[in-house]
Amino acid sequence: MSTPSLLIAGFARFRRNHFSREDVLYRNLVSQGQTPKVLVVGCCDSRVDPALIFDCAPGDLFVIRNVANLVPPAEDRVGHHGTTAALEYGVCSLAVEHIVVLGHAHCGGIQNLLQTGGNTNPNSYIDDWMSLVEAARAQVMREFADATPEVRQRECEQRSIVVSLQNLMSFNWIAQRVANGTLALHGWYFDIGSGQLLAYQANTEQFVSL
């Protein structure tokens, strides 16, 4: 297999480019700590790397990645809540000023949700996770019953972003900061095919190009 050797070669280039005597970025990040202003909830999809899409340097973004860039609602502390724990750290410890829920076109998680029709397999972690946005799927199927699968998927991808924005507000430590103006929430959608970035506008309930 060639992938591990490619990664090792890439790490060698990374060391040359970022740990040379002249490059102090990582030394500063160690000595001064991280102070990102933006938290991104992104998808695990290998084609949608937030740091690459936004051309950011190390230390600029605090990134949470999971299947379909979902945010669960505030729930009882039973089980393991990786996304919620990372949100808490970014908001309460790092004091980020913006949270961006970054959805994207051709999302495998949303495709899975549409294919299952809302019927979850009790043995599937993915089905259980995607049930967080079942309301979005059901809404799309009602309103776009005669549309093509491509249209329904795009609508579901975008509406799942809105569900995650609503779920963010179920956390008191997020809602309070939004209310006092120290934290802003954003729902963005990256179209892989066209390279466009769309933003959700709450007043019109539409996604518009940035």
Side-chain angles (χ1 to χ4, degrees), residues 42-122:
C43 184
C44 295
D45 195 301
S46 61
R47 302 164 294 179
V48 189
D49 184 338
L52 182 63
I53 292 171
F54 301 122
D55 193 23
C56 288
D60 287 347
L61 301 177
F62 187 73
V63 180
I64 305 167
R65 297 182 74 169
N66 60 43
V67 174
N69 44 266
L70 303 185
V71 174
E75 299 172 312
D76 292 337
R77 291 197 302 166
V78 177
H80 303 286
H81 302 287
T83 294
T84 302
L87 279 170
E88 181 183 356
Y89 186 78
V91 172
C92 300
S93 297
L94 298 179
V96 297
E97 298 175 2
H98 300 271
I99 298 177
V100 176
V101 178
L102 179 64
H104 69 95
H106 309 290
C107 178
I110 296 297
Q111 184 181 44
N112 180 85
L113 176 66
L114 290 168
Q115 289 175 343
T116 61
N119 299 312
T120 60
N121 179 346

Side-chain angles (χ1 to χ4, degrees), residues 17-27:
N17 293 334
H18 294 283
F19 285 87
S20 64
R21 183 171 299 178
E22 296 79 14
D23 195 326
V24 298
L25 173 60
Y26 275 93
R27 285 200 292 261

